[in-house]
């Protein structure tokens, strides 16, 4: 199923319960603006290459639009559109004063040099800077991008518009970035895992976890869970997956990736397993923290974990979601589960606008407060309406966006 179709289905399910009028459904399913641009750059060998870049701005009724910039070879308009709508619901469910947007460039960053990536980023900014800005639309890191790309983005934007550090978040901590932004998504996943287990009267020490993805989100989630005494029994990235029934040594694996171009390939101290096997392990908690669409109607019936936290965006397809729901799996949905990243992005933006710098403790405390409140809201909504956590999260988000749209007026 195409990505936008999936997010639309989740939206419709909640909109039905809310009895959202048809006119508003149409409005909320139609992005405000979709930009597609040509990115022509000279490669290191002198060749001219042309790439395609996108920025979809979905909704701004609750504030400036916010969302990451993805560099991945599978990026297309449909995916960026789906991810932009997810950002609207995500910022609404954790109640940040933002709307939703997303960008992407169809490139494989692993196959490009640093200089080539810089040229691509700067050219992209040349093409879209007019529709971006600290009070319009604020990009951030996503898959394939990080602080480095954000620093280039800001620098290129400022050539047109002057000093504006708040134009992007996820910048280097020493240069207008927020301390704690890099760990924030993974840490948010860890905070929510703890809350969810608490509500289900389970203890971390008795919780076996399988985690798919060891990039920015997965590695920080693994670290947090390990430090909180969960038994992380399986971890994998795009190169290899590993299993240890007694629990993996996460600090050792993190150290290994540092010396191994950021990947787990060849890790010697655990049993190597297949990528599919990792998802289907008999564990208590499964955390997909990599690509979207990894749990489908093909493998849903084989998923044994009774709890799933969607650290990635859209890792479960709607058909699979129904199969899992029918067998009683509790799923913490992406729009809440991975909102820690955009929450600390918000803190970064606030600091930039106020020229005031917070310490790590404050960032962590405020992150915990935002995530806890949102989790409790969603949990209570699900109990009250006897719906899944996903539908509850969408209901809260849609209601907030609906309210902002109506209060602002639509004339
Ligand atoms: N790309 C991240 C997400 O999907 C973060 C977005 C942001 O910080 O604006 O939530």
């Amino acid at each position: 199923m195409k990505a936008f179709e999936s997010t639309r289905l989740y939206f419709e399910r909640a909109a039905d319960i809310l009895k959202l009028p048809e006119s508003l459904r149409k409005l909320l399913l139609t992005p405000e603006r979709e930009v597609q641009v040509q990115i022509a750059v000279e490669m290191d060998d002198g060749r001219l290459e042309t790439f395609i870049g996108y920025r979809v701005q979905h909704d701004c009724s609750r504030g400036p639009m916010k969302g990451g910039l993805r560099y991945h070879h599978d990026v297309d308009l449909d995916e960026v559109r789906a991810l932009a709508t997810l950002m609207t619901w995500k910022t609404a469910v954790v109640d940040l004063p933002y709307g939703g947007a997303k960008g992407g460039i169809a490139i494989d960053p692993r196959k490009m040099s640093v200089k080539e990536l810089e040229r691509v980023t700067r050219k992209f900014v040349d093409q879209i800077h007019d529709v971006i800005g600290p009070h319009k639309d604020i990009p951030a890191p996503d898959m394939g991008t990080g602080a480095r790309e954000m620093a280039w983005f800001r620098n290129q934007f400022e050539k047109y518009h002057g000093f504006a550090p708040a134009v992007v978040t996820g910048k280097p901590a020493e240069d207008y970035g927020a301390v704690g932004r890099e760990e924030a998504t993974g840490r948010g996943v860890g905070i929510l895992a703890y809350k969810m287990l608490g509500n289900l009267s389970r203890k971390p020490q008795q919780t076996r976890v399988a985690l798919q993805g060891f990039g920015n989100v997965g590695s920080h989630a693994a670290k947090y869970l390990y430090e909180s005494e969960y038994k992380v029994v399986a971890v994998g990235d795009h190169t290899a997956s590993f299993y240890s029934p007694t629990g993996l040594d996460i600090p050792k694996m993190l150290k290994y990736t540092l010396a191994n171009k950021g990947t787990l390939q060849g890790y010697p101290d655990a049993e190597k397993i297949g990528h599919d096997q990792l998802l289907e392990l008999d564990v208590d908690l499964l955390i997909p923290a990599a690509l979207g669409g990894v749990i489908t109607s093909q493998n849903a019936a084989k998923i044994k974990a009774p709890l799933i936290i969607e650290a990635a965006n859209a890792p479960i397809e709607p058909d699979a979601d129904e199969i899992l729901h029918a067998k009683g799996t509790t799923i913490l949905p992406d729009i809440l589960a991975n909102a820690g990243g955009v929450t600390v992005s918000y803190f970064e933006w606030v600091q930039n606008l106020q020229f005031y710098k917070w310490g790590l403790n404050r960032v962590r405390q405020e992150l915990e407060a935002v995530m806890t409140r949102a989790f409790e809201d969603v949990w209570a909504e699900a109990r009250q309406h006897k719906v899944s956590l996903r539908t509850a999260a969408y209901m809260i988000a849609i209601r907030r966006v609906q309210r902002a749209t109506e209060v602002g007026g639509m004339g």
Side-chain angles (χ1 to χ4, degrees):
M1 189 181 290
K2 298 287 273 177
F4 184 68
E5 184 62 11
S6 301
T7 51
R8 196 182 66 77
L9 281 173
Y10 292 141
F11 167 85
E12 296 278 11
R13 203 178 286 166
D16 284 347
I17 300 174
L18 291 170
K19 299 190 172 47
L20 199 72
E22 201 46 54
S23 53
L24 257 180
R25 284 186 203 221
K26 195 167 172 195
L27 178 81
L28 296 180
L29 283 169
T30 312
E32 286 203 17
R33 180 189 272 140
E34 301 189 344
V35 183
Q36 176 176 323
V37 295
Q38 173 206 64
I39 303 170
V41 289
E42 190 181 324
M43 305 303 274
D44 291 347
D45 61 7
R47 249 178 332 117
L48 177 73
E49 260 297 359
T50 304
F51 303 104
I52 299 180
Y54 308 91
R55 187 77 187 167
V56 174
Q57 299 176 330
H58 174 247
D59 189 90
C60 67
S61 57
R62 304 183 70 257
M65 290 172 278
K66 187 85 190 81
L69 175 60
R70 176 172 291 202
Y71 288 0
H72 192 273
H73 50 90
D74 283 340
V75 162
D76 62 18
L77 183 57
D78 180 83
E79 184 189 57
V80 178
R81 186 184 293 140
L83 294 168
T85 62
L86 281 183
M87 287 308 303
T88 299
W89 314 130
K90 193 183 299 188
T91 52
V93 82
V94 288
D95 209 6
L96 305 176
Y98 285 140
K102 197 79 167 200
I105 305 179
I107 48 170
D108 185 349
R110 291 191 203 109
K111 294 200 179 127
M112 293 173 68
S113 72
V114 174
K115 280 283 154 215
E116 288 169 344
L117 286 170
E118 179 172 350
R119 285 197 288 274
V120 165
T121 305
R122 289 185 184 278
K123 196 61 184 273
F124 183 55
V125 179
D126 290 342
Q127 298 282 55
I128 65 159
H129 68 89
D130 271 338
V131 296
I132 299 289
H135 298 103
K136 283 189 206 168
D137 178 4
I138 305 124
D142 196 78
M143 199 178 287
T145 59
R148 182 182 65 182
E149 286 73 16
M150 296 306 115
W152 293 330
F153 196 113
R154 170 190 163 201
N155 182 270
Q156 192 67 10
F157 181 87
E158 289 183 340
K159 288 180 185 165
Y160 294 97
H161 301 275
F163 181 73
V167 68
V168 282
T169 56
K171 297 178 292 293
E174 67 275 25
D175 194 21
Y176 286 87
V179 285
R181 170 62 185 88
E182 206 180 288
E183 67 174 25
T185 314
R187 195 176 176 85
V189 168
I191 292 168
L192 292 172
Y194 191 77
K195 300 279 166 211
M196 182 154 95
L197 288 184
N199 282 11
L200 298 167
S201 314
R202 283 167 175 259
K203 293 215 161 39
Q205 295 84 346
Q206 292 145 5
T207 307
R208 290 160 305 136
V209 186
L211 185 83
Q212 185 201 43
F214 211 56
N216 178 257
V217 181
S219 64
H220 284 290
K223 187 164 173 273
Y224 187 93
L225 294 172
Y226 180 85
E227 285 167 2
S228 313
E229 297 181 16
Y230 289 76
K231 249 195 208 172
V232 184
V233 295
V235 157
D237 67 8
H238 67 283
T239 62
S241 296
F242 296 93
Y243 175 68
S244 165
T246 51
L248 294 160
D249 186 341
I250 299 297
K252 201 169 184 179
M253 294 181 99
L254 289 166
K255 226 185 200 166
Y256 182 84
T257 59
L258 284 181
N260 197 40
K261 291 191 191 134
T263 73
L264 286 168
Q265 191 160 38
Y267 179 70
D269 295 319
E271 181 193 338
K272 189 166 182 241
I273 55 168
H275 294 307
D276 296 344
Q277 228 178 321
L278 180 142
L279 294 172
E280 295 162 18
L281 283 172
D282 183 11
V283 290
D284 305 297
L285 171 61
L286 173 65
I287 307 183
L291 278 171
V294 293
I295 302 180
T296 64
S297 54
Q298 303 298 309
N299 62 354
K302 296 186 218 147
I303 306 287
K304 297 183 195 71
L307 302 174
I308 301 180
I309 299 184
E310 292 186 323
N313 284 315
I316 303 179
E317 296 215 327
D319 298 354
D321 190 66
E322 259 172 47
I323 298 171
L324 292 168
H325 187 66
K327 66 174 185 171
T329 311
T330 302
I331 301 170
L332 199 70
D334 49 6
I335 56 171
L336 172 61
N338 65 36
V342 71
T343 300
V344 177
S345 273
Y346 166 61
F347 300 157
E348 181 173 326
W349 181 74
V350 164
Q351 292 171 68
N352 293 159
L353 294 177
Q354 298 183 334
F355 298 96
Y356 186 77
K357 217 167 160 51
W358 301 4
L360 183 60
N361 281 344
R362 176 161 181 198
V363 170
R364 286 180 169 175
Q365 270 169 20
E366 299 224 14
L367 172 66
E368 176 143 9
V370 169
M371 299 306 283
T372 302
R373 198 186 51 226
F375 175 80
E376 283 166 1
D377 286 352
V378 171
W379 194 269
E381 181 89 4
R383 289 288 166 276
Q384 189 190 337
H385 294 276
K386 299 193 174 41
V387 293
S388 67
L389 295 171
R390 186 188 313 281
T391 300
Y394 270 82
M395 285 169 68
I396 291 174
I398 294 170
R399 214 185 282 127
R400 286 185 179 148
V401 175
Q402 174 184 11
R403 183 97 188 105
T405 307
E406 289 172 349
V407 165
M410 283 172 282

